[in-house]
């Protein structure tokens, strides 16, 4: 009880300091966190990096100020207590203890799609083959989240379908008020009333799907959707909710997405973060011709690094940021993630739609340990030269996926899921694509990025000991 009281006072002190984000107070916040919450030395690696960023006046400092200054009191408290303290610090430390007890590491988060319902019909949607009648119950999702916290997982992403179509969504956020949630949403249901509800809850950060500017967004998502997204961002900003964008680079919109015009617009609208997810041939009518070219993908990778070091917004690239997360995150690897779809099938990744287990008849800890997932983990990094710029089992090393699915008799979650490993045209395209991309990135990896990654990994290992 004494420890809990001390921690609550520390949280209150941190929240109070965020009301005046001077350079001095930013350092004080880190010092309080190190003294009151951090026991694991590996986490100190990150806090030292944050201190360094503050000292060097990096764009990250402006991002922190911009984000915290615009949040509602509850959103500010939820971000600090639920995301940074519960998920980033306490959850990781609990997982370190469990790793010693259980003998294996645990994923840091997961994605769950409780509903397949959606009001849009986007071209090439990865969830386009989801059956609209499928869906998880409140009780099922509640059980999953309860088990997740027992494993030190306090950050969960809600996807779909359109998650705000699932009736119990806000009830789940309210019941699990100690967790932090990200929702992938098309934004059309985020009116002023919904924005106020999210601001009051304080533990939700929507990532709104957008394809670039108005021309690109309406072309893929439907006429008028871009303006609805702009209004949704205004509603969230006005209510004081943290939010970001989610974009799918294709051959048609990659240049727009990596433009200063687009990123500056997202910053102006109030986005604190943004995610790039390469288009891959799954879901509704898989079409390899839509994939960004290897040259476009590599250009986007370089621009993403540039944006992170020059603009006050965090940009993450689910494929190209392999060196920063140790390669592929799939298969519930330690520090990684997995996906539970709307039918309860547990998939290694949102985009790798094969499963051997269903969460409805197994506990979370059991599906995490499945032989299918372990085989994926043991195969990582998939490429022989360990080039983490080519980390993906689906589009960078597709033959590995074909072998593992066959060996463990994993079943496709949907009819079109199987095409990515069975359709001769798709398989041939992906094999050639991965070869072309490796020719571009292998020299980059060997000449500089590999050394940087090894240096970071050694520092992390040293701290962990």
């Amino acid at each position: 009880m004494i420890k809990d009281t001390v921690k609550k006072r520390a949280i209150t002190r941190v929240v109070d300091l965020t009301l005046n984000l001077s350079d001095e107070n930013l350092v004080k916040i880190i010092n309080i966190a190190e003294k009151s919450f951090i026991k694991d030395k590996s986490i100190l690696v990150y806090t030292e990096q944050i201190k360094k960023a503050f000292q060097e006046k990096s764009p990250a400092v402006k991002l922190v100020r911009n984000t915290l200054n615009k949040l509602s009191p509850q959103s500010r408290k939820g971000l600090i207590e639920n995301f940074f303290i519960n998920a980033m610090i306490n959850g990781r430390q609990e997982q370190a203890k469990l790793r010693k007890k259980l003998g294996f590491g645990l994923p840091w988060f997961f994605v769950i799609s409780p509903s397949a319902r959606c009001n849009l019909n986007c071209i090439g949607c990865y969830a386009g083959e989801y059956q609209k009648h499928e869906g998880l119950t409140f009780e099922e999702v509640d059980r999953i989240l309860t088990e997740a916290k027992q494993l030190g997982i306090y950050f969960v992403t809600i996807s779909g379908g359109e998650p705000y179509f699932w009736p119990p969504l806000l009830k789940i956020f309210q019941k699990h008020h100690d967790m932090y949630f990200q929702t992938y949403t098309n934004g059309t249901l985020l009116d002023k009333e919904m924005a106020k509800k999210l601001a009051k809850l304080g533990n939700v950060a929507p990532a709104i799907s957008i394809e670039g500017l108005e021309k690109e967004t309406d072309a893929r998502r439907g006429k008028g959707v871009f303006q609805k997204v702009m209004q949704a961002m205004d509603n969230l900003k006005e209510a004081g909710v943290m939010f970001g964008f989610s974009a799918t680079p294709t051959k048609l919109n990659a240049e727009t997405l990596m433009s200063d015009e687009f990123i500056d617009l997202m910053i102006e609208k109030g986005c604190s973060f943004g995610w790039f997810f390469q288009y891959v041939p799954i879901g509704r009518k898989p079409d390899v011709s839509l994939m960004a070219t290897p040259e476009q993908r590599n250009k986007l990778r370089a621009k993403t690094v540039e944006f992170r070091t020059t603009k006050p917004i965090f940009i993450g690239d689910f494929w190209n940021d392999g060196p920063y997360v140790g390669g592929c995150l799939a298969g519930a690897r330690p520090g990684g993630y997995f996906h539970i779809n709307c039918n309860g099938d547990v998939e290694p990744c949102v985009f790798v739609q094969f499963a051997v287990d269903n969460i409805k008849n197994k506990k979370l800890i059991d599906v995490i340990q499945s032989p299918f997932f372990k085989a994926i983990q043991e195969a990582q990094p998939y490429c022989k030269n360990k080039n983490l710029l080519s980390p993906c089992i689906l589009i960078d090393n597709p033959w590995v996926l074909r072998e593992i699915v066959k060996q463990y008799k994993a079943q496709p979650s949907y009819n079109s899921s199987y095409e990515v490993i069975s359709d001769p045209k798709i398989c041939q395209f992906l094999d050639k694509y991965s070869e072309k991309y490796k020719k571009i990135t292998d020299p980059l990896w060997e000449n500089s990025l590999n050394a940087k990654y090894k240096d970071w990994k050694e520092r992390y290992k040293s701290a962990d000991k």
Side-chain angles (χ1 to χ4, degrees):
M1 290 180 64
I2 295 174
K3 287 183 179 180
D4 288 343
T5 300
V6 171
K7 286 184 177 181
K8 287 180 180 179
R9 288 176 179 173
I11 292 171
T12 300
R13 177 61 175 153
V14 168
V15 173
D16 289 343
L17 286 171
T18 62
L19 297 175
N20 176 20
L21 288 172
S22 63
D23 291 347
E24 180 182 0
N25 282 353
L26 286 171
V27 174
K28 283 183 179 180
I29 289 171
I30 299 298
N31 289 336
I32 291 173
E34 290 179 338
K35 181 179 179 180
S36 303
F37 306 107
I38 301 174
K39 308 300 179 184
D40 193 315
K41 291 182 179 179
S42 64
I43 299 176
L44 294 175
V45 173
Y46 298 105
T47 58
E48 290 304 314
Q49 289 175 346
I50 294 172
K51 282 184 182 180
K52 185 178 179 181
F54 289 163
Q55 293 167 354
E56 296 176 349
K57 310 292 184 182
S58 80
V61 179
K62 187 176 181 181
L63 169 60
V64 171
R65 287 198 174 101
N66 288 351
T67 298
L68 291 174
N69 284 338
K70 69 187 179 187
L71 295 183
S72 69
Q74 196 60 35
S75 292
R76 185 184 295 112
K77 184 176 183 293
L79 178 63
I80 293 169
E81 184 171 359
N82 293 12
F83 183 75
F84 287 109
I85 296 176
N86 288 352
M88 294 291 291
I89 299 176
N90 292 341
R92 286 172 60 92
Q93 292 178 157
E94 181 61 28
Q95 289 193 334
K97 295 178 182 177
L98 287 170
R99 180 177 58 194
K100 295 178 181 179
K101 179 181 178 181
L102 299 173
F104 58 88
L106 295 163
W108 184 66
F109 77 107
F110 61 91
V111 179
I112 184 168
S113 300
S115 170
R117 294 181 60 202
C118 187
N119 58 331
L120 298 184
N121 191 33
C122 304
I123 297 171
C125 174
Y126 79 84
E129 288 296 303
Y130 287 5
Q131 296 298 311
K132 304 308 177 187
H133 65 273
E134 293 176 344
L136 301 174
T137 65
F138 170 85
E139 290 75 19
E140 287 168 338
V141 175
D142 179 40
R143 173 182 69 82
I144 293 167
L145 296 180
T146 299
E147 291 180 10
K149 286 184 282 189
Q150 294 169 356
L151 300 177
I153 301 173
Y154 283 83
F155 176 66
V156 171
T157 291
I158 311 290
S159 190
E162 168 52 47
Y164 290 90
F165 259 130
W166 190 56
L169 185 66
L170 299 189
K171 185 180 177 182
I172 279 289
F173 295 153
Q174 185 175 29
K175 181 169 184 180
H176 295 275
H177 54 83
D178 53 347
M179 301 183 80
Y180 201 81
F181 298 92
Q182 178 182 237
T183 58
Y184 283 119
T185 170
N186 62 40
T188 59
L189 301 181
L190 298 178
D191 56 19
K192 290 182 181 294
E193 182 181 355
M194 178 60 72
K196 290 178 181 177
K197 291 179 180 178
L198 295 180
K200 187 176 181 180
L201 286 165
N203 61 342
V204 187
I208 304 177
S209 297
I210 192 168
E211 309 303 330
L213 303 176
E214 188 165 17
K215 176 184 175 182
E216 295 84 6
T217 301
D218 285 4
R220 187 181 186 211
R221 297 187 164 268
K223 188 175 181 180
V225 172
F226 178 80
Q227 291 302 327
K228 292 180 180 179
V229 168
M230 294 295 98
Q231 184 60 55
M233 290 182 175
D234 290 343
N235 295 339
L236 294 169
K237 185 177 180 180
E238 181 182 344
V241 178
M242 189 174 81
F243 67 93
F245 73 86
S246 172
T248 303
T250 70
K251 186 183 294 184
L252 304 177
N253 69 349
E255 301 300 324
T256 299
L257 292 176
M258 66 179 84
S259 68
D260 287 287
E261 180 184 7
F262 171 72
I263 298 299
D264 289 343
L265 174 63
M266 295 297 96
I267 295 171
E268 179 186 336
K269 296 301 291 186
C271 290
S272 296
F273 60 90
W275 297 108
F276 289 137
F277 294 93
Q278 298 288 322
Y279 171 80
V280 294
I282 61 168
R284 180 178 293 115
K285 297 179 181 179
D287 185 356
V288 292
S289 70
L290 286 176
M291 288 182 65
T293 66
E295 291 78 12
Q296 286 177 317
R297 177 178 166 187
N298 184 56
K299 185 179 178 181
L300 179 67
R301 177 196 63 78
K303 289 294 291 185
T304 300
V305 174
E306 177 188 323
F307 291 146
R308 279 198 291 254
T309 55
T310 59
K311 296 182 183 293
I313 184 172
F314 173 78
I315 306 291
D317 190 321
F318 196 76
W319 270 262
N320 292 332
D321 280 343
Y324 301 99
V325 295
C328 176
L329 291 173
R333 54 156 260 209
Y337 96 114
F338 59 95
H339 176 230
I340 301 172
N341 70 21
C342 55
N343 195 40
D345 297 324
V346 186
E347 303 165 342
C349 170
V350 170
F351 305 97
V352 180
Q353 298 176 341
F354 295 88
V356 297
D357 290 314
N358 190 288
I359 197 65
K360 293 181 180 180
N361 51 38
K362 284 193 175 183
K363 290 185 177 181
L364 195 59
I365 192 170
D366 294 326
V367 299
I368 287 173
Q369 298 180 79
S370 77
F372 178 48
F373 280 4
K374 287 183 178 179
I376 291 174
Q377 294 176 31
E378 289 171 1
Q380 299 170 354
Y382 310 113
C383 46
K384 293 180 181 178
N385 66 347
K386 300 183 179 180
N387 176 1
L388 298 187
L389 290 173
S390 300
C392 181
I393 194 174
L394 179 64
I395 64 173
D396 293 327
N397 306 274
W399 49 89
V400 178
L401 177 62
R402 294 195 288 263
E403 292 173 0
I404 294 179
V405 167
K406 181 179 179 180
Q407 181 180 356
Y408 290 89
K409 299 179 180 179
Q411 298 300 306
S413 303
Y414 308 98
N415 293 334
S416 66
S417 303
Y418 196 63
E419 293 179 19
V420 78
I421 66 168
S422 64
D423 186 306
K425 291 183 179 180
I426 293 179
C427 292
Q428 186 178 24
F429 180 92
L430 291 179
D431 287 346
K432 290 182 177 180
Y433 170 92
S434 61
E435 182 180 349
K436 289 179 181 178
Y437 192 63
K438 284 185 174 68
K439 285 183 178 179
I440 295 173
T441 60
D442 278 355
L444 296 171
W445 178 251
E446 293 300 331
N447 293 337
S448 61
L449 294 178
N450 187 22
K452 290 182 180 179
Y453 172 69
K454 284 182 178 179
D455 177 63
W456 173 85
K457 193 173 182 181
E458 287 305 315
R459 284 190 284 117
Y460 181 86
K461 281 185 175 180
S462 177
D464 199 29
K465 291 177 182 179

